[in-house]
Amino acid sequence: QYNIWDWGIRKRNVEVAHLSRDIQENTLTQNLLEVNAAINTLMLNIHRIQKSLVLNQELLASEEQTYHTLETQYREGKVAYLDLITGLNSLLDAKIQFYSTYFEALRNKAKHSYYKGKLYETISSS
């Protein structure tokens, strides 16, 4: 049933199969490295955001205290209206910065759950 040309065809098919396997292994390795890099970046972002969130929370508390002091002094006539508005603007900026950081922390928490494979469990339990 076999002739002399079959040996070359079968050998080439085996070589193609080996090369295809090597390509698939390289693709899987590359995907694994990309996921590892994404996870490392995510963990760095989580640590950075945790520190930023604490600092923004302290800043927000400080700005709230400052605004309440300015408001009291404005009612007593010791501070000009422009100073009160500037204090309110600073308070609003601090709130925006805090909530932006908080939202980014929640987004990174969802990514962390995604990489752990528990995204849907986390969503359904919330």
Side-chain angles (χ1 to χ4, degrees), residues 49-64 90-106:
I49 288 173
Q50 284 176 342
K51 291 177 184 177
S52 180
L53 192 61
V54 169
L55 291 175
N56 282 329
Q57 193 171 16
E58 291 174 3
L59 176 66
L60 180 59
S62 174
E63 287 294 335
E64 285 175 344
S90 298
L91 175 63
L92 292 177
D93 287 342
K95 282 186 178 185
I96 289 170
Q97 191 172 3
F98 173 75
Y99 286 115
S100 297
T101 305
Y102 182 72
F103 181 73
E104 189 177 352
L106 290 177

Side-chain angles (χ1 to χ4, degrees), residues 11 18 37 43 55-56 60 63 71 78 100-101 111 123 125:
K11 182 179 177 184
H18 287 298
M43 294 309 290
L55 291 175
N56 282 329
L60 180 59
E63 287 294 335
E71 187 178 25
K78 296 178 182 176
S100 297
T101 305
K111 282 183 185 178
I123 291 172
S125 67

Side-chain angles (χ1 to χ4, degrees), residues 14-94:
V14 169
E15 289 175 358
V16 168
H18 287 298
L19 291 175
S20 295
R21 184 194 66 207
D22 292 342
I23 290 171
Q24 288 176 350
E25 285 178 2
N26 288 339
T27 303
L28 289 174
T29 303
Q30 181 181 1
N31 289 339
L32 182 62
L33 290 173
E34 289 173 359
V35 168
N36 282 335
I39 289 172
N40 290 337
T41 302
L42 178 65
M43 294 309 290
L44 289 174
N45 282 339
I46 287 173
H47 291 298
R48 179 187 55 83
I49 288 173
Q50 284 176 342
K51 291 177 184 177
S52 180
L53 192 61
V54 169
L55 291 175
N56 282 329
Q57 193 171 16
E58 291 174 3
L59 176 66
L60 180 59
S62 174
E63 287 294 335
E64 285 175 344
Q65 183 181 8
T66 302
Y67 178 72
H68 290 302
T69 303
L70 283 173
E71 187 178 25
T72 304
Q73 289 179 353
Y74 174 73
R75 292 182 191 274
E76 293 173 357
K78 296 178 182 176
V79 174
Y81 180 73
L82 185 59
D83 293 332
L84 180 68
I85 295 302
T86 304
L88 180 61
N89 189 27
S90 298
L91 175 63
L92 292 177
D93 287 342

